Amino acid sequence: MAEVKNILLVGVGGQGTILVGKILSSGLMRAGYDVKMSEVHGMAQRGGSVSNQVRYGTKVYSPIIDKGQADILVAFETMEALRWLDYLNPNGKAVVNDYRIPSAPILMGKNDYPEGILSIIQGKVDTTVIKAGEIAKKLGNSRTMNIVLFGALVKGMNLTDINWEQVITSIVKAGTEDINVEAFRAGLK
Amino acid sequence: MKMLLTGNEAVARGAYEAGVTYAAAYPGTPSTEIMETVAEYKGDILAEWAPNEKVALECVIGASLAGARVLATMKMVGVNVASDPLFCAAYAGVNGGLVLVSADDPGLHSSQNEQDNRYYAKFAKVAMVEPSDSQESKDMVLAAIEISEKYDIPVLFRMTTRVCHGKSLVETGERQQVGQRPYVKNLQKYDLVPAVSRKLRAGLEEKLKRLEEFSNTTDLNFIDWNDKGIGIISSGVAYQYAREVFGTTASYLKLGFTNPLPMDKIRAFAKEVGMLYVVEELEPFIEEQLNAVGIACIGKAKIPNMGELTPDIVAKALLDQIRPTIEYDSTNIPTRPPTLCAGCPHRGFFYELSKRKNIMVTGDIGCYGLGGSDPLNAKDTSYDMGSSISMGYGAQRAFERNNENMRTISTIGDSTFFHTGINSLIHVVYNRGNTITCILDNRITGMTGHQENPGSGFTLQGMPTKIIDIEEVVKAIGIEHIRKVNPLNLKEVEEAFDWALEIDGPSVIITRWPCILKKQNDADHKEFGDYRGTCMVAEENCIGCKMCIKTGCPALRFNKESKKVKIDASQCAGCKVCLQVCPVKAIRKVGE
């Protein structure tokens, strides 16, 4: 099934991967693709490592992406990029947010936050590093970091034919449409 | 219209289209969103949270007998709780169609075990369907309601995490306009005394025979012929994985109706193909039944019976296919376990509990189970819903018998207390127990994503209702020693433990503070005020002792170079637990 594309979003519970998955899958559906998506709920969401998997093409069977199969890995948090790197196709692309959220063992001083993650990943695959946190903050709403990353994803997957601004406007919370569209445009640059 | 729906949303849509008018559930991952979505069909369907799964199933059975089409939903371990009425319902049958959704959790994303509930269908002798994507999740509710009414039997609707939380396209339809069936009093059907049940049992065997005929002819079990060298029998999401891996290089017998199995269809399929594989997630439910009638197949000899199945596992097991991945050293990536949120009211309680010695802490199911993780570590056990109180009681008895200087402290949430904790507390009082029960009331069902419960003041569909007062319940059960505390006030919690440990007899400590993620209602505002805010560290005063870090709050950051703690303002909720722990008063709340 070579024509099926795999997008893997990873991050930390609470970072808004589910919203991006929703925007992404809605847009792909409107564009006429068969779409399947898989997300994580429940216990793992409480600050744990989360993934959101989107697959699209003419006909999709499995809702999950296997190791080595993602065409693009979008990591909302730097360390999570490394954790999920083996899910990326060696010929795929990585979009990594230069943004650290230390996990519990790091906060307690049991582990150190690993250094040099970006250069490890850059040495292995085609990588785009983005400071989505800073970009969102400059735009005036740190919480739109996820939509900045979504812009980078659309660029990375060359999905610019779809009218994403319309999709975003129809899905995000009322009153936040403009800032989210701005965040999307910033990520697309 | 085409919609992108999760399997859970699709089941709700199916219930709407099938003309279901009553539905009940207890929340549990991965099933929760089904009833939350059913609740949106207000006016067409009465949707309710029950205090537990047994009650939920009994309510829908009653409504079915009265003539309504009904739906009960629960996670797989909930079916254990509801199994008593399930077995009865199999004997008695239905009036309005009855569908029971069991949402299994292979891979234990959010569960205490990995049971395969397909065995319940065989054990209880009920019909079973297994959807493999969202379209089937919707369509099979309609099919299941029809089967239930036609064959006078409950239908177990077995889903798994990836079907529940996987989204795919669904073609929706209109709601069937069906009137409620008339109720007919019938003691020979609904009065399960031995003389009646003996007859019903014989009748059930007949029903199962007719259902096997149905299984052999229904389109829910279909064959997709391709290359006949390999034949694959599969059901649920495992079918999608098999399809992903084998494509058109194999033929498929895809089973949607899996109890009773279509043995004639399976035999015919087996004869036509070369190698026969059975691709199942978890246990060899289908494979064992094939083996029993002498159909040779390969299944669990190659595919593990534990953990979540993936296309990768299928490809490796059956085709020796290994796909290239990026090689890198992943051994030193720090883990990211779930934690109590910043501002969680449980933190203060568990911080104080973690300081106690000579205690056994029996925990329960909910966010507060995270009080057992590093650095709080205040938990000895976690089994099933409600077990904290009864297990604590049993342990206390054994310690006493052995003259050990040990006390047991049971920790249970508000919703879990209503679920089955009440029964256990009755046991404690009735049998003259000596345990300390802590009911952690955070004004909502937290872990599953904020569902109303009997203590929260609202029904699932938003009707204001009587708040069942935990303190009054505990008093009525006969507990004489009760204390209510604010769990974020460490001194109050400490004193409550001192007090309870001095008492020779059963006591209850009720902590009461809302979940930090809860959307507060008027009553919450009135009771708890506007307490949210941010704390900050005066760095010049911080001595780097890391006492505050021991509370395990994710908003606190210790800087190794400066040896100072900083508070992440974007996460901090101003609960002030760290402030109370700091020995040099270096932390203050902004504005206080």
Side-chain angles (χ1 to χ4, degrees):
Chain A
M1 292 284 143
E3 71 271 29
V4 174
K5 293 283 181 195
N6 299 322
I7 298 174
L8 180 61
L9 313 171
V10 302
V12 178
Q15 272 196 299
T17 54
I18 286 184
L19 178 67
V20 170
K22 195 173 175 184
I23 293 169
L24 179 60
S25 51
S26 299
L28 292 167
M29 179 191 78
R30 291 182 205 180
Y33 289 108
D34 186 23
V35 184
K36 281 195 178 173
M37 177 166 105
S38 203
E39 53 194 37
V40 173
H41 293 231
M43 184 164 198
Q45 274 179 295
R46 299 276 174 265
S49 168
V50 297
S51 74
N52 203 291
Q53 320 184 7
V54 179
R55 309 190 70 221
Y56 65 99
T58 45
K59 172 74 189 163
V60 182
Y61 289 101
S62 166
I64 58 169
I65 299 170
D66 271 314
K67 285 187 179 172
Q69 298 298 299
D71 294 288
I72 193 165
L73 168 71
V74 183
F76 287 45
E77 197 274 348
T78 310
M79 187 166 82
E80 294 309 309
L82 200 58
R83 192 186 314 285
W84 292 89
L85 189 60
D86 53 348
Y87 278 78
L88 185 58
N89 186 312
N91 300 315
K93 286 181 188 171
V95 173
V96 184
N97 190 10
D98 188 359
Y99 185 82
R100 293 180 173 199
I101 302 177
S103 66
I106 297 169
L107 293 172
M108 280 178 270
K110 289 196 169 172
N111 296 114
D112 289 320
Y113 196 100
E115 293 299 331
I117 293 177
L118 296 174
S119 57
I120 293 173
I121 298 173
Q122 279 163 331
K124 305 273 182 191
V125 282
D126 177 0
T127 307
T128 305
V129 177
I130 179 167
K131 288 181 185 294
E134 283 180 22
I135 294 171
K137 206 171 177 181
K138 262 184 215 155
L139 291 173
N141 187 343
S142 305
R143 297 187 64 181
T144 60
M145 182 165 76
N146 56 344
I147 306 299
V148 175
L149 286 161
F150 176 63
L153 158 68
V154 166
K155 188 180 168 193
M157 284 302 286
N158 209 5
L159 283 168
T160 42
D161 286 351
I162 296 170
N163 187 347
W164 291 109
E165 297 190 4
Q166 198 183 42
V167 182
I168 291 169
T169 307
S170 70
I171 288 178
V172 299
K173 229 186 262 171
T176 69
E177 294 93 342
D178 292 349
I179 183 102
N180 277 302
V181 166
E182 261 185 76
F184 171 69
R185 286 180 191 162
L188 205 53
K189 270 183 200 161
Chain B
M1 193 173 86
K2 267 212 161 151
M3 296 167 85
L4 191 61
L5 301 178
T6 62
N8 283 348
E9 291 164 342
V11 168
R13 178 73 202 183
Y16 168 76
E17 291 179 14
V20 165
T21 54
Y22 179 71
Y26 185 80
T29 312
S31 74
T32 312
E33 302 82 11
I34 302 174
M35 202 52 62
E36 288 180 323
T37 313
V38 171
E40 291 169 13
Y41 297 106
K42 224 169 164 176
D44 290 309
I45 308 177
L46 175 62
E48 296 175 346
W49 292 132
N52 66 40
E53 295 86 353
K54 175 178 182 289
V55 174
L57 182 55
E58 288 159 350
C59 290
V60 306
I61 291 171
S64 159
L65 299 198
R69 289 187 166 180
V70 295
L71 175 78
T73 67
M74 52 200 64
K75 72 180 292 171
M76 80 292 193
V77 288
V79 180
N80 299 337
V81 179
S83 60
D84 206 352
L86 172 63
F87 281 69
C88 295
Y91 275 43
V94 304
N95 185 17
L98 190 162
V99 175
L100 165 61
V101 175
S102 166
D104 293 14
D105 188 20
L108 300 106
H109 292 274
S110 207
S111 304
Q112 67 266 45
N113 74 2
E114 200 179 39
Q115 67 189 56
D116 186 335
N117 272 10
R118 292 180 298 170
Y119 287 99
Y120 263 118
K122 220 171 152 42
F123 191 13
K125 295 179 181 284
V126 294
M128 172 164 62
V129 294
E130 282 184 75
S132 72
D133 61 16
S134 297
Q135 182 72 55
E136 288 185 356
S137 294
K138 191 211 70 141
D139 293 343
M140 282 188 187
V141 176
L142 287 103
I145 286 284
E146 205 182 301
I147 294 163
S148 176
E149 290 184 352
K150 187 169 173 201
Y151 293 90
D152 190 15
I153 199 161
V155 178
L156 186 72
F157 193 100
R158 196 259 189 169
M159 305 173 81
T160 54
T161 300
R162 296 297 178 181
V163 177
C164 292
H165 290 159
K167 270 192 182 176
S168 55
L169 297 174
V170 177
E171 187 70 56
T172 58
E174 296 299 313
R175 180 166 166 89
Q176 293 178 6
Q177 296 303 332
V178 282
Q180 197 157 305
R181 292 181 166 194
Y183 171 67
V184 181
K185 179 169 173 169
N186 185 350
L187 285 174
Q188 292 306 309
K189 195 166 185 291
Y190 304 132
D191 181 27
L192 302 188
V193 294
V196 174
S197 290
R198 273 181 215 115
K199 286 184 204 152
L200 290 173
R201 166 138 176 66
L204 180 54
E205 296 299 330
E206 287 304 313
K207 281 182 202 172
L208 289 170
K209 273 185 203 148
R210 287 197 288 125
L211 277 165
E212 187 173 340
E213 283 166 31
F214 169 78
S215 186
N216 278 313
T217 51
T218 175
D219 290 341
L220 295 171
N221 298 327
F222 65 86
I223 294 174
D224 177 11
W225 289 119
N226 298 294
D227 192 302
K228 291 187 178 176
I230 295 173
I232 293 174
I233 299 177
S234 192
S235 67
V237 79
Y239 164 73
Q240 303 289 354
Y241 300 157
R243 234 4 265 236
E244 182 79 28
V245 171
F246 285 89
T248 52
T249 65
S251 293
Y252 303 88
L253 170 51
K254 196 275 188 187
L255 302 179
F257 185 88
T258 46
N259 196 55
L261 285 176
M263 278 305 173
D264 291 345
K265 205 176 244 181
I266 289 171
R267 270 195 205 94
F269 180 74
K271 258 186 209 153
E272 292 280 321
V273 298
M275 181 77 90
L276 182 63
Y277 292 129
V278 179
V279 179
E280 293 179 89
E281 192 167 44
L282 299 183
E283 305 295 342
F285 176 79
I286 298 169
E287 185 186 353
E288 279 175 350
Q289 297 185 61
L290 265 59
N291 288 339
V293 297
I295 300 171
C297 60
I298 293 174
K300 293 298 160 186
K302 297 220 171 198
I303 297 169
N305 72 338
M306 63 180 100
E308 197 169 41
L309 197 63
T310 64
D312 225 17
I313 293 171
V314 175
K316 268 182 206 155
L318 303 182
L319 294 175
D320 280 328
Q321 236 178 46
I322 294 175
R323 299 180 237 184
T325 56
I326 297 166
E327 300 281 331
Y328 67 107
D329 180 12
S330 59
T331 48
N332 291 323
I333 306 171
T335 57
R336 192 182 293 281
T339 51
L340 293 175
C341 305
C344 174
H346 300 320
R347 176 166 288 104
F349 171 84
F350 281 105
Y351 178 77
E352 280 303 319
L353 185 56
S354 69
K355 298 200 292 198
R356 299 284 159 168
K357 301 271 183 292
N358 297 328
I359 56 163
M360 175 182 181
V361 179
T362 50
D364 224 302
I365 308 282
C367 286
Y368 48 95
L370 296 169
S373 313
D374 261 348
L376 298 167
N377 296 313
K379 183 168 77 174
D380 287 63
T381 67
S382 176
Y383 279 55
D384 57 298
M385 293 283 287
S387 64
S388 56
I389 300 176
S390 19
M391 282 177 61
Y393 169 84
Q396 185 72 59
R397 281 292 182 235
F399 289 138
E400 283 163 7
R401 180 102 189 152
N402 212 24
N403 289 320
E404 285 177 59
N405 177 27
M406 284 283 283
R407 287 298 295 275
T408 61
I409 297 182
S410 308
T411 61
I412 187 166
D414 46 342
S415 192
T416 312
F417 179 68
F418 290 121
H419 181 279
T420 33
I422 290 177
N423 318 43
S424 301
L425 193 61
I426 290 173
H427 183 91
V428 170
V429 174
Y430 170 51
N431 289 294
R432 309 160 55 91
N434 187 23
T435 55
I436 299 162
T437 300
C438 303
I439 303 170
L440 313 177
D441 180 5
N442 63 354
R443 312 301 306 127
I444 202 80
T445 310
M447 180 66 94
T448 43
H450 294 169
Q451 291 73 34
E452 304 292 348
N453 69 44
S456 72
F458 293 91
T459 67
L460 167 58
Q461 286 178 316
M463 291 286 284
T465 186
K466 189 125 186 141
I467 292 177
I468 304 196
D469 187 314
I470 293 174
E471 188 179 2
E472 292 300 324
V473 171
V474 169
K475 264 189 210 160
I477 287 172
I479 294 283
E480 289 167 8
H481 309 287
I482 304 168
R483 261 208 191 182
K484 272 171 101 171
V485 299
N486 172 356
L488 293 173
N489 185 325
L490 299 186
K491 201 158 171 50
E492 253 182 57
V493 178
E494 184 184 17
E495 282 171 6
F497 284 137
D498 286 342
W499 163 83
L501 287 163
E502 282 299 312
I503 298 168
D504 187 20
S507 62
V508 168
I509 297 170
I510 301 168
T511 74
R512 193 172 160 98
W513 202 261
C515 169
I516 191 67
L517 302 178
K518 186 187 176 188
K519 201 173 158 201
Q520 292 205 16
N521 58 38
D522 292 345
D524 294 327
H525 276 301
K526 219 176 185 178
E527 182 175 352
F528 305 104
D530 190 14
Y531 63 91
R532 288 169 201 246
T534 351
C535 293
M536 60 178 294
V537 181
E539 281 198 33
E540 64 278 14
N541 297 340
C542 177
I543 55 170
C545 69
K546 297 205 273 188
M547 282 298 287
C548 56
I549 299 291
K550 288 185 182 142
T551 65
C553 178
L556 300 171
R557 308 277 156 94
F558 181 73
N559 185 319
K560 279 192 175 169
E561 275 82 58
S562 66
K563 301 233 179 309
K564 304 276 181 192
V565 168
K566 227 181 145 168
I567 293 175
D568 176 358
S570 72
Q571 284 202 63
C572 177
C575 78
K576 298 205 283 192
V577 165
C578 58
L579 182 152
Q580 297 166 72
V581 167
C582 179
V584 293
K585 298 193 166 29
I587 306 175
R588 65 177 182 87
K589 189 162 177 176
V590 176
E592 282 185 12

